Amino acid sequence: METPRHWRLKKQRYALVGEECPHCKAKIFPPRDVCPECGLEAKTVYHFSGKGEVYSYTSLTDAPAGFQASAPYAIALVKLEEGPIVTAQLTDIGNEPVKIGMPVEMVTRKLRDDGDERGMIIYGYKFRPVLS
Amino acid sequence: MALLIPENPVGIIGYGAYIPRYRIPAAEIARVWHDEGGGVPVKEKAVPGPDEDTITMSIEAARNALQRAEIDPLLLRAVWIGSESHPYAVKPSGTVVAEAIGADTAISAADFEFACKAGTEALIAGMGMVGSKMAQYVLAIGMDTAQGKPGDVLEYTAAAGGAAFILGTADESLAVIEAAFSFVSDTPDFWRRQSEKYPEHSQRFTGEPAYFHHISNSVNAFLEESGTKPEDYQHVVFHQPNSKFPQKIAKDLGFSKEQISTGLLAPIIGNTYSGAALLGLSAVLDIAKPGDRILVASFGSGAGSDAFSLRVTERITARAKMAPTTQQYIQRRTEIDYAIYARYRDKYVLK
Ligand SMILES: [Zn+2]
């Protein structure tokens, strides 16, 4: 059980809440309080739009423990429109083939159960093809 | 009895729909279970993906409602979710949704339950909260991922979806809620005990004594007390457990096919339970014109019906376009067969 860790991470995980550098305006995700661009302190909360595109992806059929319910699925590097690249599961692909450059948007979904059906349900961001 | 009318006029300032992507045709369910050739109650129903539940679906509908309302989520004073499929037996859905949409911690967050009318129940409670000036804005949601026992007749219709509404003062509204009326009585038509996965229903109570009796009482009282007639409304939305019931009640109460057509979604998405009447309302708001009057009547087993009317304002024109429409979600459709459906809905026993 990792309940305390899930509780600490929930803000950034439910809704892509990161930081903006007050010095060079770089957008930072995940939040780390130091700007990766200019090295200065960056603690201003920034809400990402959730829009981005698939930068790279791979498909998983043999999912790790806790994630079997959604296998097979694709894990992608998503380049957010504000700059940062995040790793996340793709969802609601339907019958569409995943492609590099495919426009996607963030949704909050069940990531997994913590432990078994008696544990907490862990929610977090995934990306899906943009709703046309 | 007098209508429910808040001291300060209240309305909807933003709304948002959500319907999951997957559809199972009723003919496919009939193929597996009981194809008696007697016809099916809907064409198909919406099925949630394996990573969706009432919480995730409520989050998306709420984000759509916030986009239309254009308010800071920190100004919400309540996040209320009506559902009969809250993911936890104990642990509120409302706190997760509030956190995910960026609401403050100084809010009321509660889960409402009243079978299929839990959503309108939350909405009417929200009218009181805003109408008494205890809150500037309230978020009320009706959302469900309904389950039907495999092989049961309810499996044809038990679907997933719903809608979120942000209530505020009438001057800010895209539709002013004119008044509401609730009618309830202790009726044994449908229930689910605490630790049971699937509901029970008593066939002989479902139609006349439950659905038709409660909706006709709430709507007739509403029309009489408000001094309005069926023809005063451009759009009417009834709770829709299947295709037939809402069409019959409309006819019985003197409403035309045209009045119910925009909000009648059950034939193509199934019965979204707490979401049903509210999704119908969101489909109507998507195309409504300033000045239109809308009448909504929900139904919840156990049993009761909430009726309320709205008058659409000129703000609808700009706001309807600010988030995905109900029809966009309906058109995003991936058909699945019974085997995939059984997997997505956890019907295989793995241990
Ligand atoms: Zn910087």
Side-chain angles (χ1 to χ4, degrees), chain B residues 208-273:
Chain B
E208 276 313 322
Y211 182 88
F212 294 99
H213 175 69
H214 291 82
I215 296 186
S216 13
N217 269 286
S218 73
V219 170
N220 283 329
F222 187 91
L223 293 175
E224 191 180 323
E225 288 295 325
S226 62
T228 58
K229 298 182 294 299
E231 55 269 34
D232 293 335
Y233 298 93
Q234 279 67 42
H235 300 281
V236 184
V237 181
F238 293 108
H239 176 58
Q240 32 203 281
N242 50 40
S243 308
K244 206 167 73 186
F245 280 23
Q247 299 189 63
K248 179 170 187 319
I249 190 89
K251 195 165 172 236
D252 291 354
L253 296 174
F255 295 95
S256 69
K257 280 202 166 83
E258 292 68 40
Q259 282 171 298
I260 60 165
S261 66
T262 307
L264 184 56
L265 309 176
I268 45 171
I269 60 166
N271 178 7
T272 55
Y273 286 54

Side-chain angles (χ1 to χ4, degrees), chain B residues 107-140:
Chain B
I107 60 166
S108 159
D111 296 351
F112 282 61
E113 286 191 31
F114 193 137
C116 297
K117 86 172 186 82
T120 53
E121 199 74 61
L123 189 107
I124 291 173
M127 280 171 69
M129 189 94 158
V130 174
S132 63
K133 298 197 169 171
M134 269 168 62
Q136 189 176 1
Y137 302 117
V138 167
L139 172 61

Side-chain angles (χ1 to χ4, degrees), chain A residues 21-26 28 35-40 42:
Chain A
C21 173
H23 312 285
C24 74
K25 299 289 165 204
I28 306 159
C35 176
E37 301 296 325
C38 68
L40 295 172

Side-chain angles (χ1 to χ4, degrees), chain B:
Chain B
M1 285 296 279
L3 297 175
L4 303 168
I5 300 176
E7 212 164 278
N8 303 287
V10 174
I12 294 166
I13 65 161
Y15 67 95
Y18 184 74
I19 300 164
R21 166 165 208 158
Y22 306 96
R23 302 285 181 279
I24 182 163
E28 170 70 359
I29 297 174
R31 179 181 73 84
V32 175
W33 284 107
H34 33 73
D35 193 0
E36 289 137 13
V40 287
V42 293
K43 182 173 165 278
E44 57 188 16
K45 67 170 186 174
V47 179
D51 60 357
E52 297 189 277
D53 62 18
T54 290
I55 288 179
T56 66
M57 292 166 46
S58 294
I59 291 170
E60 181 153 347
R63 284 180 179 147
N64 287 335
L66 281 165
Q67 276 184 42
R68 287 200 173 94
E70 289 189 296
I71 58 156
D72 183 341
L74 291 172
L75 297 174
L76 293 168
R77 288 309 298 273
V79 173
W80 289 337
I81 303 170
S83 179
E84 58 175 75
S85 47
H86 293 290
Y88 289 97
V90 178
K91 187 178 185 303
S93 303
T95 53
V96 185
V97 174
E99 181 90 40
I101 63 170
D104 200 0
T105 44
I107 60 166
S108 159
D111 296 351
F112 282 61
E113 286 191 31
F114 193 137
C116 297
K117 86 172 186 82
T120 53
E121 199 74 61
L123 189 107
I124 291 173
M127 280 171 69
M129 189 94 158
V130 174
S132 63
K133 298 197 169 171
M134 269 168 62
Q136 189 176 1
Y137 302 117
V138 167
L139 172 61
I141 301 173
M143 190 68 68
D144 256 309
T145 57
Q147 286 267 34
K149 194 187 287 178
D152 187 280
V153 59
L154 290 179
E155 195 181 24
Y156 283 125
T157 51
F165 294 85
I166 296 173
L167 305 177
T169 62
D171 342 321
E172 291 179 74
S173 298
L174 54 85
V176 176
I177 305 175
E178 298 171 308
F181 187 83
S182 290
F183 178 87
V184 305
S185 80
D186 180 6
T187 307
D189 57 324
F190 174 98
W191 61 91
R192 178 167 65 83
R193 295 286 297 268
Q194 184 73 268
S195 56
E196 293 300 306
K197 185 168 179 182
Y198 300 115
E200 300 295 321
H201 50 99
S202 88
Q203 212 56 273
R204 51 187 284 256
F205 276 102
T206 306
E208 276 313 322
Y211 182 88
F212 294 99
H213 175 69
H214 291 82
I215 296 186
S216 13
N217 269 286
S218 73
V219 170
N220 283 329
F222 187 91
L223 293 175
E224 191 180 323
E225 288 295 325
S226 62
T228 58
K229 298 182 294 299
E231 55 269 34
D232 293 335
Y233 298 93
Q234 279 67 42
H235 300 281
V236 184
V237 181
F238 293 108
H239 176 58
Q240 32 203 281
N242 50 40
S243 308
K244 206 167 73 186
F245 280 23
Q247 299 189 63
K248 179 170 187 319
I249 190 89
K251 195 165 172 236
D252 291 354
L253 296 174
F255 295 95
S256 69
K257 280 202 166 83
E258 292 68 40
Q259 282 171 298
I260 60 165
S261 66
T262 307
L264 184 56
L265 309 176
I268 45 171
I269 60 166
N271 178 7
T272 55
Y273 286 54
S274 305
L278 294 177
L279 258 180
L281 173 58
S282 98
V284 166
L285 289 171
D286 286 338
I287 57 107
K289 295 186 186 59
D292 280 357
R293 293 182 81 181
I294 304 167
L295 181 68
V296 180
S298 65
F299 169 74
S301 291
S305 171
D306 298 328
F308 57 97
S309 73
L310 306 104
R311 189 187 288 274
V312 178
T313 76
E314 74 292 340
R315 281 190 188 75
I316 194 68
T317 322
R319 295 200 183 273
K321 297 187 204 106
M322 294 165 76
T325 63
T326 316
Q327 284 298 335
Q328 275 178 287
Y329 282 106
I330 292 174
Q331 281 150 25
R332 182 187 70 142
R333 172 187 179 279
T334 299
E335 190 173 316
I336 56 173
D337 62 13
Y338 198 89
I340 295 290
Y341 163 78
R343 183 181 171 193
Y344 283 5
R345 300 307 283 136
D346 252 341
K347 294 183 195 295
Y348 294 122
V349 178
L350 300 176
K351 58 183 171 195

